[in-house]
Amino acid sequence: MTVDINFVAPQLPTPPDGYDPQAFEQFNNVLRIYFNQLDNALRDAMAVQEPYELQVSKGQVVGASPEYKFGFNPDVNGTEETIWSHGGDYPWATAAFTAFISSSSTADTIAGTGAQTVTVEGLDENYASQSVTVNMNGQTQVQIGDASGWLRVNRVFVATSGSGGTAAGDIYVSVSGATAGVPTGDIYAKVTTGDNQTQQAIYTVPAGSTFYTDDVTFTAAISLANKNVTAKFISREFGSNTFRTRLIQTLQSNLLLVPFEYPLAIPEKTDVECRASTDTTNVEIGASFQGVLIAN
């Protein structure tokens, strides 16, 4: 912790040979000013002793913001895949694309009983953060923001809904093309009915920032003895075509929490992902990671 102290102990006046009320008052005034400064400094120091994490969450640390990503895959088998609700491997885009949003339900419209508006957060073609809120049109795709304006989709959530209080169907962010609201091309985000937010343990660090990862968590539910999950946390830095394993662990029916005593620094424009495989079938697996995003 760093505290600014802009004063020092005063130089006390030289006392007179005999008692002098004026000199005594001057002496007291010097001490009074000093102790007032000391008292204020101690109060300020105590005030900033809130945990750093709380200060970041309260927006009191300039250039720092918390980031928490979590995902769930309801059906992991022997082949390794991404921890996200759509299942399978996440299709990382290789170039900026025009994003569209749609629902599998006709009730998810701006005037419907389901999801009315949805917020999409991600990165543009320059890896700059962006957030766009869209009016839903049921099973008809709606363009999100500008053409070719998306490179990454980090999070999607229902902002407002009708009388149902929730999305009525699955909501998708994808490229152009859908049948009854379900995309026919690459899907970059899926909000499963009832969740009202994406469940995808993937993330890309915005340009001009570094993501300091505090911990990674995996959970699994396996009913068979001697069966395990192999869990990975991987990253791919900008300019590379290779994902690197940063963490690998095994678990069964339990919670695996891996804290980093020294936060793991993930540089700008890096893709990160939680993945898993099992030696059995139909395993539900959740994963999450959290840390602080700090401007370079």
Side-chain angles (χ1 to χ4, degrees), residues 86 100 102 139 141 172-188:
H86 189 59
F100 293 85
S102 60
Q139 295 179 341
Q141 287 187 312
Y172 300 92
V173 173
S174 65
V175 294
S176 180
T179 301
V182 179
T184 55
D186 285 336
I187 294 171
Y188 295 108

Side-chain angles (χ1 to χ4, degrees), residues 20-102:
D20 184 339
Q22 185 175 359
F24 185 71
E25 181 63 23
Q26 180 185 10
F27 179 80
N28 282 343
N29 283 337
V30 171
L31 291 181
R32 185 180 302 112
I33 293 172
Y34 174 65
F35 283 119
N36 282 340
Q37 291 175 321
L38 186 61
D39 183 63
N40 290 332
L42 288 173
R43 291 177 188 276
D44 290 342
M46 293 301 295
V48 300
Q49 283 186 4
E50 286 184 335
Y52 173 76
E53 295 82 2
L54 179 58
Q55 293 181 58
V56 171
S57 292
K58 292 170 71 174
Q60 297 175 340
V61 181
V62 176
S65 59
E67 189 64 53
Y68 176 60
K69 290 292 295 175
F70 56 93
F72 176 73
N73 189 321
D75 186 12
V76 178
N77 299 295
T79 302
E80 183 182 289
E81 53 187 280
T82 308
I83 306 304
W84 70 315
S85 57
H86 189 59
D89 292 331
Y90 186 80
W92 295 97
T94 57
F97 59 94
T98 303
F100 293 85
I101 192 166
S102 60

Side-chain angles (χ1 to χ4, degrees), residues 80-255:
E80 183 182 289
E81 53 187 280
T82 308
I83 306 304
W84 70 315
S85 57
H86 189 59
D89 292 331
Y90 186 80
W92 295 97
T94 57
F97 59 94
T98 303
F100 293 85
I101 192 166
S102 60
S103 171
S104 62
S105 172
T106 57
D108 289 327
T109 66
I110 187 61
T113 59
Q116 295 183 340
T117 62
V118 174
T119 299
V120 181
E121 298 177 348
L123 307 180
D124 67 12
E125 66 275 17
N126 297 312
Y127 287 87
S129 296
Q130 63 177 346
S131 176
V132 177
T133 298
V134 185
N135 293 337
M136 294 295 295
N137 192 21
Q139 295 179 341
T140 301
Q141 287 187 312
V142 178
Q143 183 173 315
I144 308 168
D146 298 332
S148 300
W150 295 87
L151 187 60
R152 296 288 184 265
V153 179
N154 281 331
R155 179 179 291 108
V156 179
F157 61 90
V158 176
T160 61
S161 54
S163 59
T166 185
D170 293 337
I171 295 174
Y172 300 92
V173 173
S174 65
V175 294
S176 180
T179 301
V182 179
T184 55
D186 285 336
I187 294 171
Y188 295 108
K190 177 184 178 181
V191 179
T192 303
T193 305
D195 288 342
N196 295 314
Q197 177 164 311
T198 44
Q199 304 272 334
Q200 48 189 51
I202 60 102
Y203 180 65
T204 300
V205 183
S209 296
T210 300
F211 178 54
Y212 293 90
T213 312
D214 290 325
D215 59 60
V216 179
T217 302
F218 286 91
T219 58
I222 298 179
S223 59
L224 300 174
N226 301 318
K227 298 296 182 181
N228 299 286
V229 169
T230 300
K232 289 182 180 180
F233 181 67
I234 64 175
S235 68
R236 177 181 61 187
E237 294 191 9
F238 179 70
S240 173
N241 65 349
T242 304
F243 274 98
R244 167 187 169 195
T245 300
R246 311 302 297 272
L247 167 73
I248 182 169
Q249 296 283 333
T250 59
L251 69 154
Q252 196 178 43
S253 293
N254 62 314
L255 167 69

